[in-house]
Amino acid sequence: MKHRLFPVVFFILLVLSGCLSAPPSGGGPAAEEGPAVRQFFAMDTLMSVSVYGPQGEAAVQEAWEVLTGLDRLLSRTSPDSEISALNAHAGDGSWVPLSPETAELLSFARQTAEDLPGAFDCTIAPVMDAWGFGGEDRHVPDAAALSARLALVDSGRLSLDLEAPAGRLEVPGMAVDLGAAAKGYAAGLAAQAVLEAGGESALLDLGRNITVLGEGPSGPSWRVAVKDPQDMERHLGVLSMRDQTASTSGGYERYFEENGVRYHHIIDPKTGYPAESGLLSVTVVSENPALADVLSTALFVAGRDEALSLWRSRTDFELVLCGADGVVTVTEGLEFDFRGEDNGYTCQTARR
């Protein structure tokens, strides 16, 4: 059994920023002093927060407190979290008290499910557990058992009272999993904490979710690598970013093999099986960290055509889509901010 995660830790990015950025224009904050850095484990991944400027240490501390605090609220594997309490009371009719942050994120996740029906649903947890992606016993589930679990997936039966705030799952056996949305939401709040603490320039690496603030170490922009989903030692290319988040989802992140077949963890809410959309990875770039996170998963499920259709209807995100057909599609907003590598892919630019 094999599985893999997608951390792009700060130290790799720092090397990339030094090697791949344009010559410094007046020098970024790194030209004067190094960053304050803290690495830790939260939300089931290795995280790193790096902040430049005189208030770097204070800003890192504030970000750490935000991220670890949200981990305690949102983890469904922690018995003391609010999500665990919500899941434990599914179907018993009781309203579970929630923090404003948990309620806000649940509302955002439910709205996303309404906006992208069949591509995303935060009540996917029973199906994830059927496959064993909530623990270590990963296996192909029995068809009848999977069908029963799939019937529990319906975020429309997640009731929220945002004034209380409180939540309720209407059917016994329902359960919420915010793994596809929590890191982005947390990145947004942590970035806000960094700025309020006086941080001048920062990189928040929350696994596959990378948020940058201000200038990069060697110039006006940060350089962020997008991994090649077919070879983790290579890159599809490098993004030039400032005050944005890049979130990547792909079937190579977590998977297992059974009888010679690979099964990844991104489940299609319509079928209950790992998504087969023709995409190997989706990278979403946005000024909204929560949006980048949730869309990277939803659009991986939806596929290239639906992803581009949604992009053409909005102006708040850009895409790098790597297809199983060997085509990398970059939306026009990244035309001058994404530098592809010569790895045998055919690159194309999508336009509105």
Side-chain angles (χ1 to χ4, degrees):
M1 185 178 298
K2 303 176 182 177
H3 69 279
R4 187 157 192 171
L5 301 177
F6 183 74
V8 186
V9 295
F10 166 76
F11 299 104
I12 295 175
L13 290 169
L14 185 58
V15 170
L16 281 172
S17 65
C19 295
L20 298 177
S21 61
S25 176
E32 299 176 6
E33 58 181 287
V37 181
R38 178 175 293 191
Q39 290 187 309
F40 53 95
F41 195 82
M43 297 185 180
D44 200 32
T45 194
L46 177 66
M47 296 186 175
S48 177
V49 177
S50 308
V51 182
Y52 290 94
Q55 302 304 314
E57 291 290 349
V60 165
Q61 177 67 21
E62 291 294 326
W64 175 81
E65 291 180 3
V66 167
L67 292 169
T68 54
L70 287 171
D71 186 29
R72 290 191 293 271
L73 294 177
L74 304 176
S75 172
R76 79 177 182 100
T77 60
S78 170
D80 299 324
S81 75
E82 292 182 349
I83 295 302
S84 290
L86 180 66
N87 292 343
H89 287 280
D92 71 5
S94 62
W95 286 91
V96 176
L98 301 173
S99 65
E101 293 83 1
T102 302
E104 181 180 43
L105 178 55
L106 286 169
S107 179
F108 173 73
R110 190 177 63 177
Q111 184 61 53
T112 301
E114 294 178 9
D115 294 341
L116 299 170
F120 175 83
D121 199 299
C122 67
T123 63
I124 195 69
V127 176
M128 297 287 289
D129 289 343
W131 286 88
F133 282 116
E136 295 298 323
D137 182 24
R138 299 175 183 179
H139 61 279
V140 179
D142 172 81
L146 182 60
S147 179
R149 297 288 187 93
L150 189 59
L152 297 170
V153 179
D154 183 0
S155 60
R157 292 185 284 184
L158 165 63
S159 297
L160 295 171
D161 180 346
L162 298 180
E163 292 186 5
R168 181 172 68 189
L169 291 167
E170 303 294 349
V171 180
M174 288 186 71
V176 165
D177 186 318
L178 291 171
K183 294 183 186 70
Y185 179 75
L189 293 185
Q192 180 181 338
V194 166
L195 294 174
E196 291 177 352
E200 298 177 357
S201 175
L203 184 145
L204 291 81
D205 176 1
L206 312 190
R208 60 181 176 82
N209 186 289
I210 309 297
T211 297
V212 296
L213 301 172
E215 295 187 5
S218 57
S221 299
W222 293 84
R223 301 296 191 260
V224 176
V226 178
K227 289 293 185 179
D228 183 340
Q230 299 190 93
D231 185 345
M232 293 298 288
E233 301 302 317
R234 302 190 310 185
H235 306 131
L236 282 181
V238 177
L239 289 162
S240 177
M241 296 169 49
R242 179 166 179 162
D243 297 320
Q244 293 172 306
T245 294
S247 180
T248 300
S249 293
Y252 59 91
E253 297 168 8
R254 282 192 290 158
Y255 60 86
F256 69 91
E257 295 178 0
E258 186 172 303
N259 297 325
V261 179
R262 178 181 292 191
Y263 300 92
H264 63 76
H265 76 292
I266 303 179
I267 302 298
D268 186 333
K270 299 186 299 294
T271 67
Y273 281 83
E276 296 182 359
S277 66
L279 292 175
L280 298 178
S281 71
V282 172
T283 298
V284 179
V285 179
S286 175
E287 294 180 1
N288 183 333
L291 182 68
D293 195 15
V294 73
L295 283 186
S296 67
T297 298
L299 298 183
F300 179 89
V301 174
R304 180 187 283 136
D305 290 344
E306 288 190 38
L308 292 176
S309 178
L310 182 68
W311 168 74
R312 290 188 173 102
S313 72
R314 302 174 58 154
T315 60
D316 52 358
F317 68 91
E318 301 292 338
L319 295 168
V320 178
L321 307 173
C322 182
D325 58 2
V327 176
V328 174
T329 305
V330 181
T331 56
E332 63 180 334
L334 297 176
E335 186 172 8
F336 302 107
D337 292 324
F338 178 79
R339 191 175 78 183
E341 299 290 329
D342 185 14
N343 290 332
Y345 292 97
T346 299
C347 294
Q348 63 181 21
T349 302
R351 303 189 185 279
R352 287 188 167 88

